[in-house]
Amino acid sequence: MKNLRLKSARAALDLSQDELAKLCGVSRQTINAIEKGDYNPTINLCISICRKLHKTLDELFWDEADSEGT
Amino acid sequence: MSTYNIARLTGVLCGFAVGIVLVIIIAKICNRNRKMKTEYDERQNIVRGNGYKYGFYAMMIYAALLVVLGVAEIDLPAESCVTAFSIIFVGGIVDCVYCIWNDAYWGLNNNKVRYAIFFVIAAIVNAAAVVGACLNHELVVDGKLGLMGLNLMVTVMLMLIAIVLGIKAFRDKREV
């Protein structure tokens, strides 16, 4: 599932995928894969991304639809 | 062991030693932070792990095929050293292609341009050795691919990697 919240948070700070990748110490393709939903990042990378985008884990990575079902 | 074989073995071992030294120097020059070790992120490490796995499977299947051919006493048109190297060739190609296709070939600290220059130089050096062997009729000896077959395989390997890198770059540009 695509992570559009991450994409919009990044765009709100006017950051490119490459810039965010460099800030987090990963490759541009990894950020792209997370946004496309092709890769589930570890909690460490999630925290790093959230810190750089000034967001919480809930805001970027918590899926309300999934949590309602459990 | 004849004097010729000792000289040949010494030559190959010296070649390996020079190769190892060159790899260390090239890695230091081509990595942006002058570190020998290439750094990968967490996704790339997972992809590379899968790449090694598929490369290993490919090597196993290919080695098993060679065993079957050996049992059937089918003589391959290549010297044993070339056949042995072809196992590394198959595994390496599978690993490289998988990593390239899943964006895990280039590390975070790699300078792609510098690496590309060294790839081209390595391909030219190996291709020149193959052409030289062809001209001196040393590539195929007694109907078998000789020691220079190693250079031929390295050239083919580098060309294949370059082609896959090119296709991947073209595909990525079209996606953006």
Side-chain angles (χ1 to χ4, degrees):
Chain A
M1 197 172 65
K2 283 187 178 181
N3 193 333
L4 296 173
R5 285 173 291 174
L6 170 58
K7 195 172 183 175
S8 59
R10 174 176 62 75
L13 289 179
D14 206 20
L15 286 172
S16 66
Q17 284 185 344
D18 196 40
E19 286 166 334
L20 178 60
K22 278 186 181 131
L23 287 172
C24 298
V26 295
S27 63
R28 182 195 62 77
Q29 289 87 353
T30 296
I31 296 295
N32 186 43
I34 296 168
E35 287 187 356
K36 279 167 59 181
D38 292 340
Y39 173 65
N40 286 324
T42 61
I43 190 71
N44 286 335
L45 182 52
C46 288
I47 291 168
S48 175
I49 291 170
C50 287
R51 282 197 174 134
K52 303 302 173 196
L53 296 179
H54 312 298
K55 297 280 182 187
T56 63
L57 282 169
D58 279 6
E59 284 172 321
L60 291 187
F61 294 104
W62 190 256
D63 194 344
E64 288 297 336
D66 266 8
S67 62
E68 279 168 13
T70 54
Chain B
M1 197 183 273
S2 68
T3 315
Y4 172 74
N5 282 343
I6 291 170
R8 199 168 126 143
L9 182 64
T10 311
V12 170
L13 289 175
C14 285
F16 272 119
V18 170
I20 290 167
V21 172
L22 273 178
V23 165
I24 292 169
I25 293 169
I26 290 167
K28 286 239 175 212
I29 292 171
C30 293
N31 285 342
R32 283 196 211 100
N33 52 3
R34 294 279 184 256
K35 278 185 183 171
M36 214 195 102
K37 196 166 181 271
T38 300
E39 291 159 5
Y40 300 96
D41 67 33
E42 55 178 51
R43 184 194 62 83
Q44 288 178 312
N45 277 323
I46 293 169
V47 171
R48 291 180 71 81
N50 285 333
Y52 287 127
K53 184 173 73 180
Y54 295 131
F56 175 69
Y57 288 155
M59 280 174 87
M60 292 247 290
I61 292 165
Y62 182 68
L65 185 72
L66 289 179
V67 170
V68 170
L69 291 175
V71 169
E73 292 184 354
I74 295 170
D75 216 13
L76 293 170
E79 273 190 41
S80 58
C81 62
V82 178
T83 311
F85 187 76
S86 68
I87 301 173
I88 301 170
F89 173 82
V90 168
I93 279 293
V94 170
D95 179 34
C96 285
V97 170
Y98 184 83
C99 288
I100 291 168
W101 212 248
N102 290 284
D103 302 306
Y105 187 73
W106 299 111
L108 300 173
N109 58 341
N110 286 162
N111 184 320
K112 292 180 191 177
V113 177
R114 286 184 199 164
Y115 266 107
I117 291 168
F118 277 108
F119 273 22
V120 170
I121 292 169
I124 290 170
V125 167
N126 280 284
V130 172
V131 171
C134 279
L135 294 174
N136 295 326
H137 306 289
E138 287 173 351
L139 188 64
V140 179
V141 183
D142 299 329
K144 287 193 168 197
L145 192 61
L147 190 64
M148 298 309 280
L150 299 182
N151 295 85
L152 179 65
M153 273 196 276
V154 171
T155 309
V156 171
M157 196 173 182
L158 288 169
M159 282 170 71
L160 273 174
I161 290 172
I163 290 166
V164 178
L165 278 170
I167 294 169
K168 174 68 179 159
F170 178 73
R171 191 171 165 265
D172 285 351
K173 263 193 180 173
R174 280 185 69 183
E175 269 184 13
V176 172

